[in-house]
């Protein structure tokens, strides 16, 4: 196999991508209008629960309550709740809550069996990076399938220092491609990297999907799932420096050899991590290849690999938004 990588360009590019990964095992089922109306109701009422209700169509629901006991799983708690409401016994806005106040504690127990058995939502600052993509142009005498592996690691001065620095090169992606004789061009975006997964769907994104479905602009799937096994894609790159952190990308292309798996085993990363199955790997080469072994520099550097120098910049979002 003769492969010569002529150029690899790393460039930043903003790419909009959904947070949902549809399951491939089942036929998709879509929500009807009645279901979406209920979802829309709960999201809009709870979205800004600390603010006055601004949706006029929901105002009539605030004038009365359903008194039919058969409509509730635990009518006694509902009745107690409205007794508190009618007598003005609830904690006023802006007042401090204390577990040592027997009345406040009782109000908490009215909605749950355990005091700490409730959800807490918070906002946390964290490291993130913009989506980026690279373009790879390859001249090949080979026609067939191959595997491209991509790594990111520290910049080093002397090539023989790679024997030491190889343990700091992290495999960020591998994928299967089809080669034809002559020039081949491949474009890969960081949101498509094989080993990484997206964040959980945010409230705002889910509400947007509900509204699009409710207004008939797109279908709202009921059986969508999200990959829960993988490295967070927002942490693929190191933090970087404001002046630019020198790093290297490393690419290697190897012929594709199909693996054989135990009959009956199926791997779906939205359902299982595939641990010990070997099905997460495209071929028989180990994770981290070729940095998983002692490097023999007499044979190591070949035409099917390429090092690319890059700079990773860090920008404080808070400073970007500051005005003076």
């Amino acid at each position: 196999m003769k492969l010569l990588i002529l150029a690899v360009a790393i460039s930043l590019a903003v790419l909009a991508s959904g947070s949902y990964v549809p399951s491939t095992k089942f036929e998709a089922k879509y929500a009807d209008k009645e279901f979406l109306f209920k979802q829309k109701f709960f999201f809009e009422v709870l979205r800004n629960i600390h603010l006055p209700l601004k949706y006029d169509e929901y105002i009539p629901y605030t004038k009365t309550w359903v008194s039919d006991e058969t409509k509730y799983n635990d009518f006694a708690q509902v009745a107690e709740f409205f007794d508190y409401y009618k007598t003005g016994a609830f904690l006023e806005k802006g007042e401090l809550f204390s577990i040592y106040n027997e009345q406040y504690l009782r109000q908490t127990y009215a909605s749950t069996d355990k005091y700490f058995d409730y959800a807490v939502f918070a906002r946390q600052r964290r490291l993130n990076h913009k989506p980026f993509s690279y373009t790879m142009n390859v001249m090949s005498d080979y026609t067939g399938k191959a595997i491209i592996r991509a790594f990111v690691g520290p910049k080093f001065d002397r090539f023989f220092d790679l024997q030491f620095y190889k343990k700091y090169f992290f495999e960020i992606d591998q994928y299967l491609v089809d080669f034809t004789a002559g020039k081949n061009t491949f474009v890969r975006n960081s949101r498509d990297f094989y080993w990484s997964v997206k964040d959980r769907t945010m409230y705002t994104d889910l509400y947007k999907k509900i509204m699009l479905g409710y207004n008939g602009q797109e279908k709202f799937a009921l059986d969508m799932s999200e990959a829960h096994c993988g490295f967070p894609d927002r942490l693929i790159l190191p933090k970087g420096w404001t002046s630019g952190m020198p790093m290297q990308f490393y690419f290697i292309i190897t012929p594709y050899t199909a693996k054989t798996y135990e009959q009956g085993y199926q791997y779906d990363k939205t359902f299982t991590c595939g641990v010990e199955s070997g099905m997460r790997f495209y071929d028989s080469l180990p994770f981290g290849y070729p940095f998983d072994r002692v490097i023999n520099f007499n044979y190591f550097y070949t035409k099917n690999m390429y090092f690319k120098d890059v700079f990773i910049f860090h920008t404080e979002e808070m400073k970007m938004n500051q005005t003076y």
Side-chain angles (χ1 to χ4, degrees):
M1 175 181 180
K2 297 181 180 179
L3 296 169
L4 176 61
I5 301 179
L6 296 182
V8 180
I10 305 295
S11 60
L12 289 177
V14 177
L15 176 68
S17 59
S19 299
Y20 277 121
V21 180
S23 173
T24 57
K25 290 184 176 297
F26 307 99
E27 183 179 353
K29 297 180 180 179
Y30 298 98
D32 56 21
K33 190 80 170 182
E34 181 181 359
F35 175 86
L36 290 171
F37 175 79
K38 294 177 181 178
Q39 294 296 309
K40 175 176 176 289
F41 170 79
F42 284 113
F43 271 76
E44 290 177 342
V45 169
L46 299 177
R47 186 176 190 181
N48 296 304
I49 197 169
H50 60 288
L51 298 176
L53 190 63
K54 64 177 182 178
Y55 299 96
D56 294 337
E57 65 268 32
Y58 301 143
I59 298 297
Y61 294 105
T62 67
K63 304 300 182 182
T64 184
W65 63 289
V66 179
S67 58
D68 185 357
E69 298 184 18
T70 62
K71 301 293 185 181
Y72 301 94
N73 293 328
D74 191 342
F75 181 76
Q77 288 195 5
V78 177
E80 184 177 5
F81 173 86
F82 278 100
D83 286 340
Y84 279 122
Y85 177 75
K86 292 176 181 178
T87 58
F90 280 128
L91 184 66
E92 293 293 332
K93 184 177 180 180
E95 293 187 22
L96 296 177
F97 173 84
S98 173
I99 60 174
Y100 299 106
N101 186 306
E102 185 177 350
Q103 182 177 345
Y104 296 162
L105 194 60
R106 174 58 188 161
Q107 293 174 13
T108 304
Y109 277 112
S111 59
T112 178
D113 294 333
K114 298 179 180 178
Y115 174 68
F116 291 103
D117 186 21
Y118 59 87
V120 176
F121 296 90
R123 176 173 296 177
Q124 179 184 18
R125 293 184 61 195
R126 63 183 189 177
L127 187 65
N128 208 335
H129 69 77
K130 292 182 179 180
F132 64 92
S133 61
Y134 62 82
T135 300
M136 179 181 294
N137 296 314
V138 183
M139 293 298 297
S140 174
D141 297 331
Y142 170 80
T143 299
K145 296 183 180 297
I147 299 293
I148 297 179
R149 286 175 167 83
F151 295 76
V152 62
K155 169 66 177 172
F156 54 91
D157 297 324
R158 298 188 310 148
F159 183 67
F160 293 101
D161 291 338
L162 182 60
Q163 193 74 264
F164 171 78
Y165 286 105
K166 65 183 176 66
K167 60 178 174 287
Y168 299 116
F169 275 77
F170 178 73
E171 183 174 340
I172 57 176
D173 191 24
Q174 68 172 247
Y175 54 103
L176 182 67
V177 294
D178 291 309
F179 273 97
T180 58
K183 183 179 179 180
N184 299 263
T185 300
F186 305 104
V187 179
R188 188 73 167 173
N189 189 275
S190 61
R191 292 297 185 250
D192 300 322
F193 283 3
Y194 182 68
W195 299 112
S196 61
V197 294
K198 302 178 180 65
D199 280 341
R200 297 295 186 187
T201 301
M202 295 186 297
Y203 170 91
T204 304
D205 294 332
L206 184 57
Y207 177 70
K208 185 184 299 183
K209 287 180 176 292
I210 289 174
M211 292 306 299
L212 289 174
Y214 182 76
N215 294 325
Q217 295 176 266
E218 69 175 37
K219 293 182 178 180
F220 184 85
L222 293 173
D223 56 353
M224 287 185 174
S225 57
E226 296 178 325
H228 62 278
C229 294
F231 190 79
D233 65 357
R234 62 183 180 84
L235 297 177
I236 291 175
L237 297 181
K239 181 178 179 180
W241 302 339
T242 54
S243 58
M245 181 181 184
M247 298 288 288
Q248 282 189 328
F249 274 71
Y250 169 79
F251 304 90
I252 182 171
I253 303 174
T254 55
Y256 170 68
T257 303
K259 291 188 64 176
T260 57
Y261 302 103
E262 190 175 325
Q263 192 69 22
Y265 190 96
Q266 293 183 341
Y267 167 57
D268 182 350
K269 74 174 184 177
T270 63
F271 175 73
T272 176
C273 296
V275 176
E276 296 184 352
S277 68
M279 296 194 69
R280 291 180 296 174
F281 300 94
Y282 278 108
D283 54 20
S284 58
L285 294 176
F287 182 77
Y289 174 87
F291 297 129
D292 62 323
R293 59 201 66 197
V294 176
I295 297 176
N296 186 333
F297 289 101
N298 293 323
Y299 307 100
F300 177 76
Y301 195 79
T302 54
K303 293 181 179 181
N304 63 322
M305 62 177 63
Y306 186 81
F307 285 91
K308 175 65 178 180
D309 292 343
V310 297
F311 287 90
I312 299 177
F313 295 88
H314 175 71
T315 303
E316 287 283 353
E317 187 179 59
M318 296 297 291
K319 291 182 179 179
M320 291 175 58
N321 296 330
Q322 284 179 351
T323 57
Y324 298 94

